[in-house]
Amino acid sequence: MFLMGLGALLVLGGVLYMARTAIWRGSLSGPDSSRPVRGTLEPPRRSLRFLGLATNWPGILLMVIGAILLVSGSGF
């Protein structure tokens, strides 16, 4: 029972980590920022690289470990 609870928490933590990474990775000089927008090197829109494995590996690792704990906990 403990392993399943811990696994569920790890899966939820991994999902929340990945959501936080995707939400907070916005443009720093957008129209809603407090400083004026001048010539910037940032792309005009976000690419899909923020969904890649390089930025989300901690969240994916948490979800995999949680899934393993959920499966092993259900076997007892």
Side-chain angles (χ1 to χ4, degrees), residues 3 8 12-13 20 25 27 32 40 45 47 49 51-52 59 66-67 76:
L3 288 178
L12 182 63
R20 183 194 60 86
R25 194 163 163 80
S27 174
D32 56 14
T40 179
R45 60 183 179 89
S47 67
R49 276 194 346 196
L51 294 175
F76 288 119

Side-chain angles (χ1 to χ4, degrees), residues 25-63:
R25 194 163 163 80
S27 174
L28 295 176
S29 62
D32 56 14
S33 68
S34 61
R35 57 193 163 123
V37 178
R38 295 200 175 114
T40 179
L41 296 175
E42 293 178 353
R45 60 183 179 89
R46 263 195 266 184
S47 67
L48 291 178
R49 276 194 346 196
F50 71 94
L51 294 175
L53 184 64
T55 57
N56 290 322
W57 70 265
I60 293 170
L61 182 66
L62 283 173
M63 289 192 313

